[in-house]
Amino acid sequence: MQSPDDVATAIGRNVRALRQQRRMTIDALAAASGVSRGTVIQIETARGNPSIGTLVHLAEALRVGVTSLVDRDATPRVVVRRAEQAVPLWSSEAGSTAVFRIGTDPPDVVELWDWTLEPGDAFDGEAHPIGTAEVLSVLRGRLGLRVGAVEHELGEGDTVMFQAHVPHRYSGAGEGPVRFTMVVLQPGDAGLVPPTAIAPAEPD
């Protein structure tokens, strides 16, 4: 049997974590749940045991079940995706590929990609929602990067981060293939889902 203090600590930790994941302020959660701001603060700081009715209202506002609020399991989630499970989501006639390695679920989406572009080949990325960032690191070869109207060239070991709410283009800029990793950070939109396919590049 869990002690009241253990229950209060678990509920406080879970409510605070879920609220922050959904980018809600304490005031926003209070308004959405109909629970007073002071009560939300007390719950998050484990200074009281909320009633069943309060838990139900908070769970509804946070879009989870009550079980998620009282769960004491604080073990970090670990997801391993083996090499053979990686998903190639784009390829070109020239032999270029984009492999989706792993990603997170909304609301805060993080995607890890593994790209290889053959010399002269390219991929055009559409504008993402404002707030999206991409981080690219060149493992081998030379990468051409166009963000909006600005051109960049990166060599082996170079890394770049850019705001991706404008159209952008990656291209093989050297004599051999370029391989690079890409991390896409797309925060806070609950309507986003991990990709199932990406469109081919348009001719330059």
Side-chain angles (χ1 to χ4, degrees):
M1 180 74 69
Q2 298 181 40
S3 72
D5 287 346
D6 288 342
V7 173
T9 298
I11 292 172
R13 180 191 66 237
N14 293 333
V15 169
R16 181 170 60 255
L18 289 164
R19 174 178 63 78
Q20 291 172 341
Q21 288 173 15
R22 283 149 180 74
R23 298 184 179 273
M24 298 176 75
T25 63
I26 289 175
D27 288 335
L29 177 56
S33 64
V35 175
S36 72
R37 183 178 188 276
T39 299
V40 173
I41 292 173
Q42 285 188 329
I43 291 170
E44 288 197 1
T45 54
R47 288 187 283 134
N49 282 301
S51 67
I52 293 296
T54 297
L55 286 177
V56 169
H57 291 312
L58 289 171
E60 289 175 349
L62 292 167
R63 304 190 303 279
V64 297
V66 172
T67 300
S68 296
L69 300 188
V70 300
D71 185 6
R72 289 188 60 205
D73 185 5
T75 303
R77 182 186 180 208
V78 177
V79 178
V80 176
R81 176 169 284 184
R82 302 297 179 187
E84 62 272 14
Q85 296 175 298
V87 182
L89 292 183
W90 175 77
S91 61
S92 73
E93 293 182 358
S96 301
T97 59
V99 178
F100 179 63
R101 291 292 180 186
I102 202 165
T104 63
D105 294 325
D108 295 319
V109 174
V110 180
E111 300 169 1
L112 176 62
W113 294 78
D114 185 346
W115 284 78
T116 300
L117 289 175
E118 296 297 326
D121 206 1
F123 177 83
D124 291 313
E126 298 180 356
H128 296 294
I130 290 178
T132 303
E134 292 190 9
V135 181
L136 280 59
S137 187
V138 179
L139 304 177
R140 183 181 70 249
R142 300 199 66 79
L143 173 67
L145 173 66
R146 184 169 68 208
V147 181
V150 181
E151 301 274 357
H152 307 268
E153 187 168 314
L154 296 92
E156 185 173 323
D158 290 345
T159 302
V160 63
M161 179 172 63
F162 64 93
Q163 295 176 319
H165 57 268
V166 295
H168 42 282
R169 181 181 180 90
Y170 328 117
S171 58
E175 295 182 358
V178 57
R179 184 181 177 200
F180 62 98
T181 57
M182 178 177 72
V183 176
V184 182
L185 309 169
Q186 196 156 249
D189 187 338
L192 297 173
V193 296
T196 56
I198 52 179
E202 295 294 333
D204 203 0

mmCIF file with all atom_site columns, all heavy atoms in Angstrom, residues 18-42:
data_model
loop_
_atom_site.group_PDB
_atom_site.id
_atom_site.type_symbol
_atom_site.label_atom_id
_atom_site.label_alt_id
_atom_site.label_comp_id
_atom_site.label_asym_id
_atom_site.label_entity_id
_atom_site.label_seq_id
_atom_site.pdbx_PDB_ins_code
_atom_site.Cartn_x
_atom_site.Cartn_y
_atom_site.Cartn_z
_atom_site.occupancy
_atom_site.B_iso_or_equiv
_atom_site.pdbx_formal_charge
_atom_site.auth_seq_id
_atom_site.auth_comp_id
_atom_site.auth_asym_id
_atom_site.auth_atom_id
_atom_site.pdbx_PDB_model_num
ATOM 1   N N   . LEU A 1 18 ? 3.485   16.630 -17.166 1.00 0.00 ? 18 LEU A N   1
ATOM 2   C CA  . LEU A 1 18 ? 2.503   16.664 -18.255 1.00 0.00 ? 18 LEU A CA  1
ATOM 3   C C   . LEU A 1 18 ? 2.153   18.096 -18.642 1.00 0.00 ? 18 LEU A C   1
ATOM 4   O O   . LEU A 1 18 ? 2.000   18.412 -19.827 1.00 0.00 ? 18 LEU A O   1
ATOM 5   C CB  . LEU A 1 18 ? 1.255   15.889 -17.853 1.00 0.00 ? 18 LEU A CB  1
ATOM 6   C CG  . LEU A 1 18 ? 1.415   14.365 -17.782 1.00 0.00 ? 18 LEU A CG  1
ATOM 7   C CD1 . LEU A 1 18 ? 0.255   13.740 -17.007 1.00 0.00 ? 18 LEU A CD1 1
ATOM 8   C CD2 . LEU A 1 18 ? 1.504   13.772 -19.181 1.00 0.00 ? 18 LEU A CD2 1
ATOM 9   N N   . ARG A 1 19 ? 2.025   18.963 -17.667 1.00 0.00 ? 19 ARG A N   1
ATOM 10  C CA  . ARG A 1 19 ? 1.715   20.372 -17.957 1.00 0.00 ? 19 ARG A CA  1
ATOM 11  C C   . ARG A 1 19 ? 2.840   21.000 -18.778 1.00 0.00 ? 19 ARG A C   1
ATOM 12  O O   . ARG A 1 19 ? 2.584   21.712 -19.763 1.00 0.00 ? 19 ARG A O   1
ATOM 13  C CB  . ARG A 1 19 ? 1.503   21.139 -16.657 1.00 0.00 ? 19 ARG A CB  1
ATOM 14  C CG  . ARG A 1 19 ? 1.310   22.643 -16.866 1.00 0.00 ? 19 ARG A CG  1
ATOM 15  C CD  . ARG A 1 19 ? 1.044   23.369 -15.570 1.00 0.00 ? 19 ARG A CD  1
ATOM 16  N NE  . ARG A 1 19 ? 2.153   23.282 -14.630 1.00 0.00 ? 19 ARG A NE  1
ATOM 17  C CZ  . ARG A 1 19 ? 3.268   24.027 -14.727 1.00 0.00 ? 19 ARG A CZ  1
ATOM 18  N NH1 . ARG A 1 19 ? 3.425   24.875 -15.739 1.00 0.00 ? 19 ARG A NH1 1
ATOM 19  N NH2 . ARG A 1 19 ? 4.213   23.924 -13.811 1.00 0.00 ? 19 ARG A NH2 1
ATOM 20  N N   . GLN A 1 20 ? 4.083   20.737 -18.385 1.00 0.00 ? 20 GLN A N   1
ATOM 21  C CA  . GLN A 1 20 ? 5.216   21.309 -19.109 1.00 0.00 ? 20 GLN A CA  1
ATOM 22  C C   . GLN A 1 20 ? 5.339   20.722 -20.511 1.00 0.00 ? 20 GLN A C   1
ATOM 23  O O   . GLN A 1 20 ? 5.666   21.441 -21.456 1.00 0.00 ? 20 GLN A O   1
ATOM 24  C CB  . GLN A 1 20 ? 6.498   21.081 -18.306 1.00 0.00 ? 20 GLN A CB  1
ATOM 25  C CG  . GLN A 1 20 ? 6.550   21.892 -17.017 1.00 0.00 ? 20 GLN A CG  1
ATOM 26  C CD  . GLN A 1 20 ? 7.731   21.527 -16.131 1.00 0.00 ? 20 GLN A CD  1
ATOM 27  O OE1 . GLN A 1 20 ? 8.334   20.457 -16.274 1.00 0.00 ? 20 GLN A OE1 1
ATOM 28  N NE2 . GLN A 1 20 ? 8.061   22.412 -15.200 1.00 0.00 ? 20 GLN A NE2 1
ATOM 29  N N   . GLN A 1 21 ? 5.064   19.423 -20.664 1.00 0.00 ? 21 GLN A N   1
ATOM 30  C CA  . GLN A 1 21 ? 5.102   18.817 -21.997 1.00 0.00 ? 21 GLN A CA  1
ATOM 31  C C   . GLN A 1 21 ? 4.097   19.466 -22.929 1.00 0.00 ? 21 GLN A C   1
ATOM 32  O O   . GLN A 1 21 ? 4.347   19.579 -24.133 1.00 0.00 ? 21 GLN A O   1
ATOM 33  C CB  . GLN A 1 21 ? 4.826   17.319 -21.889 1.00 0.00 ? 21 GLN A CB  1
ATOM 34  C CG  . GLN A 1 21 ? 5.955   16.510 -21.294 1.00 0.00 ? 21 GLN A CG  1
ATOM 35  C CD  . GLN A 1 21 ? 5.554   15.066 -21.045 1.00 0.00 ? 21 GLN A CD  1
ATOM 36  O OE1 . GLN A 1 21 ? 4.541   14.597 -21.561 1.00 0.00 ? 21 GLN A OE1 1
ATOM 37  N NE2 . GLN A 1 21 ? 6.338   14.356 -20.240 1.00 0.00 ? 21 GLN A NE2 1
ATOM 38  N N   . ARG A 1 22 ? 2.973   19.886 -22.380 1.00 0.00 ? 22 ARG A N   1
ATOM 39  C CA  . ARG A 1 22 ? 1.927   20.504 -23.193 1.00 0.00 ? 22 ARG A CA  1
ATOM 40  C C   . ARG A 1 22 ? 2.060   22.018 -23.261 1.00 0.00 ? 22 ARG A C   1
ATOM 41  O O   . ARG A 1 22 ? 1.202   22.711 -23.785 1.00 0.00 ? 22 ARG A O   1
ATOM 42  C CB  . ARG A 1 22 ? 0.554   20.111 -22.638 1.00 0.00 ? 22 ARG A CB  1
ATOM 43  C CG  . ARG A 1 22 ? 0.183   18.680 -23.036 1.00 0.00 ? 22 ARG A CG  1
ATOM 44  C CD  . ARG A 1 22 ? -0.678  17.988 -22.016 1.00 0.00 ? 22 ARG A CD  1
ATOM 45  N NE  . ARG A 1 22 ? -1.002  16.624 -22.440 1.00 0.00 ? 22 ARG A NE  1
ATOM 46  C CZ  . ARG A 1 22 ? -0.121  15.609 -22.417 1.00 0.00 ? 22 ARG A CZ  1
ATOM 47  N NH1 . ARG A 1 22 ? 1.105   15.809 -22.002 1.00 0.00 ? 22 ARG A NH1 1
ATOM 48  N NH2 . ARG A 1 22 ? -0.480  14.401 -22.822 1.00 0.00 ? 22 ARG A NH2 1
ATOM 49  N N   . ARG A 1 23 ? 3.174   22.535 -22.708 1.00 0.00 ? 23 ARG A N   1
ATOM 50  C CA  . ARG A 1 23 ? 3.466   23.968 -22.752 1.00 0.00 ? 23 ARG A CA  1
ATOM 51  C C   . ARG A 1 23 ? 2.328   24.790 -22.158 1.00 0.00 ? 23 ARG A C   1
ATOM 52  O O   . ARG A 1 23 ? 1.926   25.828 -22.696 1.00 0.00 ? 23 ARG A O   1
ATOM 53  C CB  . ARG A 1 23 ? 3.791   24.407 -24.185 1.00 0.00 ? 23 ARG A CB  1
ATOM 54  C CG  . ARG A 1 23 ? 5.025   23.721 -24.746 1.00 0.00 ? 23 ARG A CG  1
ATOM 55  C CD  . ARG A 1 23 ? 5.389   24.226 -26.126 1.00 0.00 ? 23 ARG A CD  1
ATOM 56  N NE  . ARG A 1 23 ? 6.587   23.562 -26.608 1.00 0.00 ? 23 ARG A NE  1
ATOM 57  C CZ  . ARG A 1 23 ? 7.825   23.979 -26.364 1.00 0.00 ? 23 ARG A CZ  1
ATOM 58  N NH1 . ARG A 1 23 ? 8.013   25.054 -25.630 1.00 0.00 ? 23 ARG A NH1 1
ATOM 59  N NH2 . ARG A 1 23 ? 8.871   23.320 -26.839 1.00 0.00 ? 23 ARG A NH2 1
ATOM 60  N N   . MET A 1 24 ? 1.800   24.316 -21.052 1.00 0.00 ? 24 MET A N   1
ATOM 61  C CA  . MET A 1 24 ? 0.733   25.013 -20.348 1.00 0.00 ? 24 MET A CA  1
ATOM 62  C C   . MET A 1 24 ? 1.315   25.689 -19.105 1.00 0.00 ? 24 MET A C   1
ATOM 63  O O   . MET A 1 24 ? 2.129   25.098 -18.397 1.00 0.00 ? 24 MET A O   1
ATOM 64  C CB  . MET A 1 24 ? -0.378  24.043 -19.921 1.00 0.00 ? 24 MET A CB  1
ATOM 65  C CG  . MET A 1 24 ? -1.078  23.341 -21.055 1.00 0.00 ? 24 MET A CG  1
ATOM 66  S SD  . MET A 1 24 ? -2.289  22.116 -20.460 1.00 0.00 ? 24 MET A SD  1
ATOM 67  C CE  . MET A 1 24 ? -3.626  23.206 -19.925 1.00 0.00 ? 24 MET A CE  1
ATOM 68  N N   . THR A 1 25 ? 0.892   26.902 -18.849 1.00 0.00 ? 25 THR A N   1
ATOM 69  C CA  . THR A 1 25 ? 1.228   27.541 -17.589 1.00 0.00 ? 25 THR A CA  1
ATOM 70  C C   . THR A 1 25 ? 0.309   26.990 -16.500 1.00 0.00 ? 25 THR A C   1
ATOM 71  O O   . THR A 1 25 ? -0.692  26.317 -16.778 1.00 0.00 ? 25 THR A O   1
ATOM 72  C CB  . THR A 1 25 ? 1.032   29.058 -17.677 1.00 0.00 ? 25 THR A CB  1
ATOM 73  O OG1 . THR A 1 25 ? -0.365  29.332 -17.913 1.00 0.00 ? 25 THR A OG1 1
ATOM 74  C CG2 . THR A 1 25 ? 1.876   29.650 -18.812 1.00 0.00 ? 25 THR A CG2 1
ATOM 75  N N   . ILE A 1 26 ? 0.648   27.281 -15.250 1.00 0.00 ? 26 ILE A N   1
ATOM 76  C CA  . ILE A 1 26 ? -0.231  26.874 -14.144 1.00 0.00 ? 26 ILE A CA  1
ATOM 77  C C   . ILE A 1 26 ? -1.601  27.509 -14.316 1.00 0.00 ? 26 ILE A C   1
ATOM 78  O O   . ILE A 1 26 ? -2.637  26.855 -14.110 1.00 0.00 ? 26 ILE A O   1
ATOM 79  C CB  . ILE A 1 26 ? 0.402   27.261 -12.796 1.00 0.00 ? 26 ILE A CB  1
ATOM 80  C CG1 . ILE A 1 26 ? 1.614   26.365 -12.516 1.00 0.00 ? 26 ILE A CG1 1
ATOM 81  C CG2 . ILE A 1 26 ? -0.613  27.159 -11.662 1.00 0.00 ? 26 ILE A CG2 1
ATOM 82  C CD1 . ILE A 1 26 ? 2.382   26.728 -11.271 1.00 0.00 ? 26 ILE A CD1 1
ATOM 83  N N   . ASP A 1 27 ? -1.617  28.779 -14.723 1.00 0.00 ? 27 ASP A N   1
ATOM 84  C CA  . ASP A 1 27 ? -2.904  29.469 -14.926 1.00 0.00 ? 27 ASP A CA  1
ATOM 85  C C   . ASP A 1 27 ? -3.715  28.807 -16.029 1.00 0.00 ? 27 ASP A C   1
ATOM 86  O O   . ASP A 1 27 ? -4.942  28.673 -15.922 1.00 0.00 ? 27 ASP A O   1
ATOM 87  C CB  . ASP A 1 27 ? -2.665  30.944 -15.266 1.00 0.00 ? 27 ASP A CB  1
ATOM 88  C CG  . ASP A 1 27 ? -2.182  31.750 -14.067 1.00 0.00 ? 27 ASP A CG  1
ATOM 89  O OD1 . ASP A 1 27 ? -2.476  31.344 -12.923 1.00 0.00 ? 27 ASP A OD1 1
ATOM 90  O OD2 . ASP A 1 27 ? -1.510  32.776 -14.264 1.00 0.00 ? 27 ASP A OD2 1
ATOM 91  N N   . ALA A 1 28 ? -3.035  28.379 -17.103 1.00 0.00 ? 28 ALA A N   1
ATOM 92  C CA  . ALA A 1 28 ? -3.750  27.746 -18.214 1.00 0.00 ? 28 ALA A CA  1
ATOM 93  C C   . ALA A 1 28 ? -4.343  26.412 -17.779 1.00 0.00 ? 28 ALA A C   1
ATOM 94  O O   . ALA A 1 28 ? -5.480  26.079 -18.141 1.00 0.00 ? 28 ALA A O   1
ATOM 95  C CB  . ALA A 1 28 ? -2.816  27.553 -19.392 1.00 0.00 ? 28 ALA A CB  1
ATOM 96  N N   . LEU A 1 29 ? -3.584  25.636 -17.002 1.00 0.00 ? 29 LEU A N   1
ATOM 97  C CA  . LEU A 1 29 ? -4.103  24.354 -16.521 1.00 0.00 ? 29 LEU A CA  1
ATOM 98  C C   . LEU A 1 29 ? -5.271  24.581 -15.569 1.00 0.00 ? 29 LEU A C   1
ATOM 99  O O   . LEU A 1 29 ? -6.268  23.854 -15.626 1.00 0.00 ? 29 LEU A O   1
ATOM 100 C CB  . LEU A 1 29 ? -2.995  23.564 -15.828 1.00 0.00 ? 29 LEU A CB  1
ATOM 101 C CG  . LEU A 1 29 ? -3.420  22.228 -15.205 1.00 0.00 ? 29 LEU A CG  1
ATOM 102 C CD1 . LEU A 1 29 ? -4.072  21.322 -16.241 1.00 0.00 ? 29 LEU A CD1 1
ATOM 103 C CD2 . LEU A 1 29 ? -2.235  21.530 -14.551 1.00 0.00 ? 29 LEU A CD2 1
ATOM 104 N N   . ALA A 1 30 ? -5.154  25.582 -14.722 1.00 0.00 ? 30 ALA A N   1
ATOM 105 C CA  . ALA A 1 30 ? -6.247  25.888 -13.787 1.00 0.00 ? 30 ALA A CA  1
ATOM 106 C C   . ALA A 1 30 ? -7.514  26.247 -14.550 1.00 0.00 ? 30 ALA A C   1
ATOM 107 O O   . ALA A 1 30 ? -8.614  25.770 -14.232 1.00 0.00 ? 30 ALA A O   1
ATOM 108 C CB  . ALA A 1 30 ? -5.826  27.023 -12.860 1.00 0.00 ? 30 ALA A CB  1
ATOM 109 N N   . ALA A 1 31 ? -7.360  27.073 -15.589 1.00 0.00 ? 31 ALA A N   1
ATOM 110 C CA  . ALA A 1 31 ? -8.526  27.487 -16.369 1.00 0.00 ? 31 ALA A CA  1
ATOM 111 C C   . ALA A 1 31 ? -9.132  26.311 -17.125 1.00 0.00 ? 31 ALA A C   1
ATOM 112 O O   . ALA A 1 31 ? -10.365 26.159 -17.192 1.00 0.00 ? 31 ALA A O   1
ATOM 113 C CB  . ALA A 1 31 ? -8.131  28.598 -17.346 1.00 0.00 ? 31 ALA A CB  1
ATOM 114 N N   . ALA A 1 32 ? -8.286  25.467 -17.712 1.00 0.00 ? 32 ALA A N   1
ATOM 115 C CA  . ALA A 1 32 ? -8.790  24.344 -18.505 1.00 0.00 ? 32 ALA A CA  1
ATOM 116 C C   . ALA A 1 32 ? -9.456  23.278 -17.653 1.00 0.00 ? 32 ALA A C   1
ATOM 117 O O   . ALA A 1 32 ? -10.382 22.599 -18.109 1.00 0.00 ? 32 ALA A O   1
ATOM 118 C CB  . ALA A 1 32 ? -7.638  23.723 -19.307 1.00 0.00 ? 32 ALA A CB  1
ATOM 119 N N   . SER A 1 33 ? -8.992  23.134 -16.412 1.00 0.00 ? 33 SER A N   1
ATOM 120 C CA  . SER A 1 33 ? -9.515  22.070 -15.550 1.00 0.00 ? 33 SER A CA  1
ATOM 121 C C   . SER A 1 33 ? -10.610 22.531 -14.596 1.00 0.00 ? 33 SER A C   1
ATOM 122 O O   . SER A 1 33 ? -11.326 21.701 -14.030 1.00 0.00 ? 33 SER A O   1
ATOM 123 C CB  . SER A 1 33 ? -8.367  21.470 -14.725 1.00 0.00 ? 33 SER A CB  1
ATOM 124 O OG  . SER A 1 33 ? -7.827  22.450 -13.850 1.00 0.00 ? 33 SER A OG  1
ATOM 125 N N   . GLY A 1 34 ? -10.720 23.845 -14.414 1.00 0.00 ? 34 GLY A N   1
ATOM 126 C CA  . GLY A 1 34 ? -11.672 24.350 -13.426 1.00 0.00 ? 34 GLY A CA  1
ATOM 127 C C   . GLY A 1 34 ? -11.172 24.201 -11.995 1.00 0.00 ? 34 GLY A C   1
ATOM 128 O O   . GLY A 1 34 ? -11.934 24.386 -11.042 1.00 0.00 ? 34 GLY A O   1
ATOM 129 N N   . VAL A 1 35 ? -9.886  23.875 -11.842 1.00 0.00 ? 35 VAL A N   1
ATOM 130 C CA  . VAL A 1 35 ? -9.261  23.758 -10.522 1.00 0.00 ? 35 VAL A CA  1
ATOM 131 C C   . VAL A 1 35 ? -8.533  25.065 -10.231 1.00 0.00 ? 35 VAL A C   1
ATOM 132 O O   . VAL A 1 35 ? -7.907  25.643 -11.123 1.00 0.00 ? 35 VAL A O   1
ATOM 133 C CB  . VAL A 1 35 ? -8.263  22.571 -10.503 1.00 0.00 ? 35 VAL A CB  1
ATOM 134 C CG1 . VAL A 1 35 ? -7.514  22.507 -9.177  1.00 0.00 ? 35 VAL A CG1 1
ATOM 135 C CG2 . VAL A 1 35 ? -9.000  21.266 -10.768 1.00 0.00 ? 35 VAL A CG2 1
ATOM 136 N N   . SER A 1 36 ? -8.610  25.554 -9.006  1.00 0.00 ? 36 SER A N   1
ATOM 137 C CA  . SER A 1 36 ? -8.002  26.840 -8.696  1.00 0.00 ? 36 SER A CA  1
ATOM 138 C C   . SER A 1 36 ? -6.488  26.804 -8.864  1.00 0.00 ? 36 SER A C   1
ATOM 139 O O   . SER A 1 36 ? -5.856  25.748 -8.730  1.00 0.00 ? 36 SER A O   1
ATOM 140 C CB  . SER A 1 36 ? -8.333  27.261 -7.269  1.00 0.00 ? 36 SER A CB  1
ATOM 141 O OG  . SER A 1 36 ? -7.630  26.481 -6.331  1.00 0.00 ? 36 SER A OG  1
ATOM 142 N N   . ARG A 1 37 ? -5.920  27.968 -9.139  1.00 0.00 ? 37 ARG A N   1
ATOM 143 C CA  . ARG A 1 37 ? -4.472  28.073 -9.309  1.00 0.00 ? 37 ARG A CA  1
ATOM 144 C C   . ARG A 1 37 ? -3.747  27.609 -8.050  1.00 0.00 ? 37 ARG A C   1
ATOM 145 O O   . ARG A 1 37 ? -2.738  26.906 -8.121  1.00 0.00 ? 37 ARG A O   1
ATOM 146 C CB  . ARG A 1 37 ? -4.105  29.521 -9.631  1.00 0.00 ? 37 ARG A CB  1
ATOM 147 C CG  . ARG A 1 37 ? -2.629  29.749 -9.896  1.00 0.00 ? 37 ARG A CG  1
ATOM 148 C CD  . ARG A 1 37 ? -2.367  31.218 -10.254 1.00 0.00 ? 37 ARG A CD  1
ATOM 149 N NE  . ARG A 1 37 ? -0.993  31.407 -10.690 1.00 0.00 ? 37 ARG A NE  1
ATOM 150 C CZ  . ARG A 1 37 ? 0.040   31.594 -9.876  1.00 0.00 ? 37 ARG A CZ  1
ATOM 151 N NH1 . ARG A 1 37 ? -0.149  31.592 -8.563  1.00 0.00 ? 37 ARG A NH1 1
ATOM 152 N NH2 . ARG A 1 37 ? 1.252   31.767 -10.363 1.00 0.00 ? 37 ARG A NH2 1
ATOM 153 N N   . GLY A 1 38 ? -4.249  28.007 -6.903  1.00 0.00 ? 38 GLY A N   1
ATOM 154 C CA  . GLY A 1 38 ? -3.624  27.614 -5.647  1.00 0.00 ? 38 GLY A CA  1
ATOM 155 C C   . GLY A 1 38 ? -3.621  26.110 -5.449  1.00 0.00 ? 38 GLY A C   1
ATOM 156 O O   . GLY A 1 38 ? -2.639  25.537 -4.961  1.00 0.00 ? 38 GLY A O   1
ATOM 157 N N   . THR A 1 39 ? -4.710  25.457 -5.850  1.00 0.00 ? 39 THR A N   1
ATOM 158 C CA  . THR A 1 39 ? -4.784  24.003 -5.720  1.00 0.00 ? 39 THR A CA  1
ATOM 159 C C   . THR A 1 39 ? -3.784  23.323 -6.653  1.00 0.00 ? 39 THR A C   1
ATOM 160 O O   . THR A 1 39 ? -3.128  22.347 -6.271  1.00 0.00 ? 39 THR A O   1
ATOM 161 C CB  . THR A 1 39 ? -6.210  23.506 -6.014  1.00 0.00 ? 39 THR A CB  1
ATOM 162 O OG1 . THR A 1 39 ? -7.106  24.086 -5.060  1.00 0.00 ? 39 THR A OG1 1
ATOM 163 C CG2 . THR A 1 39 ? -6.300  21.991 -5.929  1.00 0.00 ? 39 THR A CG2 1
ATOM 164 N N   . VAL A 1 40 ? -3.657  23.839 -7.885  1.00 0.00 ? 40 VAL A N   1
ATOM 165 C CA  . VAL A 1 40 ? -2.683  23.272 -8.818  1.00 0.00 ? 40 VAL A CA  1
ATOM 166 C C   . VAL A 1 40 ? -1.274  23.381 -8.236  1.00 0.00 ? 40 VAL A C   1
ATOM 167 O O   . VAL A 1 40 ? -0.484  22.427 -8.292  1.00 0.00 ? 40 VAL A O   1
ATOM 168 C CB  . VAL A 1 40 ? -2.762  23.968 -10.190 1.00 0.00 ? 40 VAL A CB  1
ATOM 169 C CG1 . VAL A 1 40 ? -1.628  23.480 -11.106 1.00 0.00 ? 40 VAL A CG1 1
ATOM 170 C CG2 . VAL A 1 40 ? -4.109  23.710 -10.855 1.00 0.00 ? 40 VAL A CG2 1
ATOM 171 N N   . ILE A 1 41 ? -0.948  24.523 -7.660  1.00 0.00 ? 41 ILE A N   1
ATOM 172 C CA  . ILE A 1 41 ? 0.372   24.718 -7.062  1.00 0.00 ? 41 ILE A CA  1
ATOM 173 C C   . ILE A 1 41 ? 0.580   23.736 -5.913  1.00 0.00 ? 41 ILE A C   1
ATOM 174 O O   . ILE A 1 41 ? 1.644   23.110 -5.789  1.00 0.00 ? 41 ILE A O   1
ATOM 175 C CB  . ILE A 1 41 ? 0.545   26.173 -6.582  1.00 0.00 ? 41 ILE A CB  1
ATOM 176 C CG1 . ILE A 1 41 ? 0.585   27.121 -7.779  1.00 0.00 ? 41 ILE A CG1 1
ATOM 177 C CG2 . ILE A 1 41 ? 1.808   26.308 -5.733  1.00 0.00 ? 41 ILE A CG2 1
ATOM 178 C CD1 . ILE A 1 41 ? 0.580   28.587 -7.399  1.00 0.00 ? 41 ILE A CD1 1
ATOM 179 N N   . GLN A 1 42 ? -0.435  23.599 -5.062  1.00 0.00 ? 42 GLN A N   1
ATOM 180 C CA  . GLN A 1 42 ? -0.315  22.658 -3.941  1.00 0.00 ? 42 GLN A CA  1
ATOM 181 C C   . GLN A 1 42 ? -0.086  21.228 -4.427  1.00 0.00 ? 42 GLN A C   1
ATOM 182 O O   . GLN A 1 42 ? 0.717   20.481 -3.856  1.00 0.00 ? 42 GLN A O   1
ATOM 183 C CB  . GLN A 1 42 ? -1.571  22.721 -3.073  1.00 0.00 ? 42 GLN A CB  1
ATOM 184 C CG  . GLN A 1 42 ? -1.650  23.949 -2.187  1.00 0.00 ? 42 GLN A CG  1
ATOM 185 C CD  . GLN A 1 42 ? -2.819  23.872 -1.217  1.00 0.00 ? 42 GLN A CD  1
ATOM 186 O OE1 . GLN A 1 42 ? -3.855  23.272 -1.540  1.00 0.00 ? 42 GLN A OE1 1
ATOM 187 N NE2 . GLN A 1 42 ? -2.669  24.466 -0.046  1.00 0.00 ? 42 GLN A NE2 1
#
